[in-house]
Amino acid sequence: MSIRAVVQGCGHAVPTKVLTNFDLEKLVETSDEWIVQRTGIKERRVCAPGESTGSLTVQAAQEALKASNISAEELDLVIVGTVTGEFIWPSTACYVQDQIGAKNAGAFDISAACAGFIYSLQVGAAMIESGVAKTILVLGVDCLSKQLDYTDRSTCILFGDAAAGVVLRGEENTDRGVLKTVLRSDGDGIKHINLEVGGNRYPTGSPEAEGHRDKLFMAGSEVYRFAVNAMSDACLSVLSQAGMTIDDIDLFVPHQANLRIINSSAEKLGLPEEKVFVNVHKYGNTSGGSIPLALYEAEKEGRLKKGDAVLTVGFGAGLVWGANIIRW
Ligand code: UT7
């Protein structure tokens, strides 16, 4: 009998501190008009002192469990997609496991940047489908505000902080669940978006680190060009593997990086505006938090209902990209 990993409920957490385009005008030579025109972003949330990846993820985890009516003890696994872990090691997932009291769960992180949730969801779904686990908390989170150079106008305007996620549970004889996923990577793109210092090659404060960047670096236009093609290719590929067409999709939930990227991929796919979910104007690019936060809000706004087919797609540092089709 086949088992599917079905979404039981969602949770989210964003910092309360809002950083608007007008605030950024005071930090770098930019304008609200430029940012809105080139990215669609109006404001983003950033951690205040005392807030971090760990605190947001725990909050999102607790809300997801409550929405699912599932206790922390029932979890077999906690998976967190993040590149801004609470510590360099151990994993943020272990921190969350302890804080929520998931005493019967294994826990690990997945490093796939803005595609972290796409990757994590597929790993969780495969664990359930293979019978290794029954109930899994899958979260995506990033707090890149702490790794940004607020004198670099080409990057500091883009990113914000957020955590969100879902509880997956194995169900038999259902047409709901994670239906299909494609995952891709191209490590030659490490040079386009990275954070060099703090890893093993360039330890913080070491002689090897001298002359290397200790804040996020991004070659924006290279990533932009890659993203537009990668998004539509991943979507077409996952649709074909699922034996579906774009007309079978009720809602498109793309990584919220840039409104222009979202619109051009939706256009390439032939998706009407009403099937495209957008919240980039409120949060900017929240990396691993972006897709689950969008799913959370889409459900809250009544745009995503039980039984709907949702297509998610993401891309990010690695380079990595991928897409899932979920029957909600
Ligand atoms: O999750 C994955 C992460 N990455 C992404 O999704 C990023 C993908 N890339 C992008 O979203 C876009 O490339 C950006 C929004 C980062 C930049 O937009 P663009 O249309 O590609 O601009 P550009 O980099 O080609 O820069 C155009 C001009 C430049 O000035 P000159 O050389 O033409 O005089 C920049 O210096 O805009 C200038 N510029 C700015 N001006 C005002 C760059 N950033 C800013 C800014 N305010 N914040």
Side-chain angles (χ1 to χ4, degrees):
M1 203 171 311
S2 76
I3 301 173
R4 285 237 175 97
V6 177
V7 172
Q8 308 292 310
C10 306
H12 84 301
V14 293
T16 46
K17 188 174 169 198
V18 176
L19 186 69
T20 66
N21 292 348
F22 300 104
D23 296 327
L24 286 164
E25 284 181 357
K26 294 178 198 136
L27 298 177
V28 286
E29 203 175 323
T30 191
S31 64
D32 172 60
E33 193 192 352
W34 191 95
I35 301 172
V36 172
Q37 205 178 70
R38 300 290 179 116
T39 73
I41 302 166
K42 292 186 176 151
E43 58 186 46
R44 68 289 292 143
R45 302 296 181 96
V46 293
C47 285
E51 286 178 315
S52 63
T53 291
S55 65
L56 293 185
T57 316
V58 168
Q59 219 180 304
Q62 285 165 336
E63 190 183 11
L65 286 169
K66 198 168 171 213
S68 307
N69 203 18
I70 283 173
S71 73
E73 287 88 355
E74 292 173 76
L75 293 173
D76 301 313
L77 267 180
V78 177
I79 305 176
V80 177
T82 187
V83 288
T84 55
E86 185 73 352
F87 312 106
I88 299 237
W89 55 269
S91 68
T92 300
C94 273
Y95 176 76
V96 173
Q97 173 276 330
D98 177 54
Q99 294 291 309
I100 64 175
K103 57 185 183 206
N104 301 308
F108 59 88
D109 288 357
I110 287 182
S111 173
C114 303
F117 185 76
I118 302 263
Y119 270 68
S120 302
L121 194 76
Q122 170 56 10
V123 171
M127 291 281 207
I128 287 172
E129 287 159 12
S130 63
V132 171
K134 180 159 190 235
T135 309
I136 306 185
L137 179 59
V138 181
L139 299 145
V141 56
D142 274 307
C143 293
L144 279 165
S145 69
K146 300 194 191 198
Q147 300 182 343
L148 292 175
D149 174 358
Y150 281 97
T151 66
D152 174 8
R153 67 179 182 175
S154 68
T155 54
C156 74
I157 55 129
L158 292 173
F159 297 94
D161 303 337
V166 299
V167 176
L168 292 179
R169 176 163 270 182
E171 290 183 17
E172 289 170 357
N173 300 323
T174 177
D175 60 355
R176 293 174 61 215
V178 180
L179 302 186
K180 264 301 171 232
T181 298
V182 297
L183 304 176
R184 298 281 185 271
S185 65
D186 177 8
D188 187 48
I190 289 173
K191 58 184 180 271
H192 295 319
I193 172 162
N194 58 54
L195 200 172
E196 293 183 330
V197 171
N200 220 251
R201 184 180 292 194
Y202 306 118
T204 308
S206 68
E208 294 95 318
E210 267 171 46
H212 292 278
R213 288 179 293 263
D214 63 356
K215 296 287 178 198
L216 179 149
F217 165 79
M218 187 177 69
S221 34
E222 275 82 355
V223 178
Y224 188 100
R225 276 196 297 275
F226 147 77
V228 174
N229 293 325
M231 299 257 279
S232 51
D233 288 353
C235 290
L236 293 173
S237 167
V238 78
L239 282 166
S240 125
Q241 286 186 34
M244 295 167 83
T245 72
I246 200 70
D247 296 334
D248 297 320
I249 297 300
D250 298 298
L251 192 68
F252 179 51
V253 178
H255 170 40
Q256 305 287 310
N258 182 323
L259 187 60
R260 284 155 62 210
I261 298 177
I262 295 173
N263 286 344
S264 59
S265 25
E267 199 180 312
K268 271 183 158 206
L269 292 165
L271 277 159
E273 208 179 314
E274 63 274 13
K275 283 192 176 182
V276 182
F277 190 80
V278 174
N279 65 4
V280 69
H281 53 291
K282 292 194 283 181
Y283 303 111
N285 178 346
T286 60
S287 185
S290 158
I291 290 171
L293 178 61
L295 289 169
Y296 170 89
E297 288 206 332
E299 188 184 55
K300 271 276 166 301
E301 290 171 19
R303 305 231 354 234
L304 184 51
K305 293 177 281 308
K306 202 169 167 175
D308 281 352
V310 54
L311 171 62
T312 67
V313 61
F315 63 92
L319 299 165
V320 287
W321 64 106
N324 318 108
I325 299 176
I326 310 160
R327 177 131 348 246
W328 201 250

